[in-house]
Amino acid sequence: MSTSNLVQDLTVGRDTDVSARREVRAFVAGGAITAGDFVAYKANEAVDGNKALKVIRAVTGGSPTEGTIGVIAHPIGVAVTTAAVGAVVNICVSGIVEANVDAATAAGSLLCSGVTAGRADVYEAAFLCVPVAIATEADATNVATVLMLKQV
């Protein structure tokens, strides 16, 4: 059976969780993940195959408890479900999704890996990270609808 990423539904008035423009993939949680968290591959896994299977909350700074390698854990998407370690977690890798964002987020803000695990910061030119999402609205208590740009 063939698969496709083509838009199959153009119904107007849908919510973020049923958007035809959103791509969701299943991963295994390499740490506790809450819906809305920006996530990254857990690249420090011992088994090579697990490096692209397990995800953790994305964070800038290389916190050993988050399992990051180097300075930045590059976000690949936003969790749409909450999961404990070892559980399956659904990740929005492209499209509209509610996300954990910095309090300075305004509509149109470019977002990248943040200093708080799972939370995106508003991008600044001096940052080492690249933008991975665009805010479609200002945050309300660190939550905003964003357009996740495909990274994988």
Side-chain angles (χ1 to χ4, degrees), residues 18-145:
V18 290
S19 172
R21 306 245 188 242
R22 181 164 87 163
E23 184 179 346
V24 176
R25 295 188 185 171
F27 292 87
V28 174
I33 294 173
T34 302
D37 282 347
F38 278 82
V39 298
Y41 288 127
K42 188 173 182 190
N44 67 345
E45 282 290 309
V47 177
D48 287 343
N50 288 343
K51 293 177 182 184
L53 172 67
K54 294 185 178 181
V55 292
I56 46 123
R57 296 180 303 159
V59 65
T60 300
S63 164
T65 60
E66 289 297 324
T68 60
I69 289 181
V71 178
I72 297 172
H74 184 75
I76 61 161
V78 176
V80 295
T81 56
T82 296
V85 177
V88 173
V89 59
N90 291 326
I91 305 298
C92 173
V93 296
S94 174
I96 298 290
V97 62
E98 292 286 319
N100 182 359
V101 297
D102 184 72
T105 301
S109 293
L110 296 174
L111 303 169
C112 65
S113 185
V115 295
T116 301
R119 180 174 295 159
D121 281 347
V122 176
Y123 175 77
E124 296 178 19
F127 286 2
L128 296 175
C129 57
V130 296
V132 296
I134 303 167
T136 63
E137 64 186 6
D139 79 292
T141 319
N142 295 105
V143 176
T145 300

